[in-house]
Amino acid sequence: MDHLVTPYGGILQNLLADEKRAVLLKQESQEFPAITLSQRQLCDLELLMNGAFSPLRGFMDREAYESVLEKMRLPDGLLWSMPITLDVPDPVAEKLQAGGCLGLNDPEGFMLAVLRITDVWKPDKKREAQLVYGTGSLNHPGVRFLFEQVHGNYVGGQIEGIQLPMHHDFETLRDTPGELRHLFEKHGWHHVVAFNTSKPMHRLHRDITLGAAREAQANILLHPAVGMTKPGDLHYYARVHCYQAIRRHYPHNLAALSLLPMAVRMAGPREALLNAIVRQNYGCSHLIIGPEHAAPPEIRMGGERFYPRYAAQEIVAKHQHELGIRMIPIREMQYVPEDDQFLPVERIEREGRKGVVFTEKELSSHLAHDQEIPAWFSFPDVIAELRKVYPPRRQQGITLFFTGLSGSGKSTLAKILYAKFIELGGRPVTLLDGDVVRHNLSRELGFSKEHRDINVRRIGFVAGEITKNRGVAICAPIAPYKATRRAVRELIEQHGAFIEIYVATPLEICEKRDRKGLYAKARKGLIPEFTGISDPYEAPENPEIQIDTTNLTPAHAAQEIFLYLMKEGYLDGGENPVDSMNPRGSEESQRF
């Protein structure tokens, strides 16, 4: 199989120690410092150890990192487009030095590998963002992750692997590069065209892959990324069911499905090159590259464009002569009803015909409102799988996330909403009030920026679990930082609805309501880092709901929220539960 002989994976790297050496490493590691790897680091480590990142033998040292940034080449001149680095926080970095070792643990504390340290350094993230992503804008989710989630120190060195990360789901669909190569050889697949995706597949994708297979006279590998994917992507376990459903619509023995534990970076052209290198290491002879390959989701949703259309195809074409895998470029396509087929937009425009599209946003809206999906867009069994994870909004799990200054009224509103959801029945409801959570879940935390961030993330984790199980989570922390609120949103939106409610009551009103005397103490300097006084509150820019309670009673403010939930389909029609509020209730119920 000549297409498997490449400068990258002709001989796949094997970074796993044998059994005897692995036992010895575990014994020696008791003396090593160790870190728990993040999701992205786990993905990178797995691809290093199984050979998908061949010829890398570990996380890049400074020389390799700089060479890749500047030249898109490893120090020996081999093409490589993306830095593969291990980041650590300052307290860990201070304990590390060249020649030492670092244990790499999974979240359960099992050691997966040992890193033989050659370099510890502080990268210039602004420079990295410009060179890798082509922008320093925090609107780019990859850049945002770099600045907000990646620690300020990189550690480079070679890896000695003890064991690959464990996966307890879809085990028969997980293959190393060596296993896939063996499978191709066993079935006599001389040419294999890979399809990279982090989205569910529909009729257009099947037509694209079948067309590519005909062009290359190849079999098809559906190779979706199931590591860390893009914000807004459907969780991989739900996507896999969609892939299994659409695979049944291919001719027998034409297509294989295998899951790639890769963390996407959304780096557009550079990531397209990395995808090509990885797929040739897996034994593929061809790779489909679309018009927006590896672009941030904002492009497809009508937002900011970071890369020109077809930029990924252009960079792969430029370096095609160095790769052992061939690109099959795909032009932008639309459905032509009169022909009942998908055609390139250029041809449709040239011939003066009319094409139609059905966007991801429209698909989400149709699923949320239980509307029929056009038959030309997808297959019934794929849509059936999507409806299992995207039920109508009235059946979805929901997180109502109140944010605002202390005294803004968010806790009062959260309690009213909690009571009314209980009255409605039908869904389990949990109230996660900021003060109550601090008492029961975060008692050891203080009020530093770091501790407030941890507290909100804990609330977000619990809310995510409730939402995943079709419940209603009502959260009312101050949550002053945009980055933390965004991280919580991205976590929860994998499983259900996240509705941010900004209680935008002005500071002077909040101070007048200061029942606990906190603002007065903060003004005197008795409470350090107090939000709104000595620490900033970063107001939400695009909350689903914004309410100023200055001139509203709690009942009126709660009514606005319920009307929004009803309008958007999160509640069934019928009696408005807020209408049952007693206007002659206690004085306390009539004010914040």
Side-chain angles (χ1 to χ4, degrees), residues 396-399 462-471 473 492 495-497:
Q396 287 181 16
I398 310 172
T399 290
V462 175
E465 293 300 302
I466 294 167
T467 303
K468 183 191 303 182
N469 290 285
R470 307 285 173 89
I492 291 172
H495 309 295

Side-chain angles (χ1 to χ4, degrees), residues 12 57 247 391 459:
L12 288 172
R57 297 194 60 83
R247 186 184 173 196
I459 291 172

Side-chain angles (χ1 to χ4, degrees), residues 52 54 86 92 188 203 224 234 242 255 368 423 457 491 493 509:
S54 180
L86 179 68
V92 174
R203 288 185 184 270
L234 185 63
C242 295
E423 286 183 20
R457 288 177 185 271
L491 171 69
E493 283 186 335
I509 301 299

Side-chain angles (χ1 to χ4, degrees), residues 140-159:
H140 188 300
V143 174
R144 192 164 63 233
F145 185 90
L146 174 65
F147 283 108
E148 296 179 356
Q149 304 294 325
V150 174
H151 296 297
N153 307 274
Y154 288 172
V155 184
Q158 292 197 5
I159 292 293

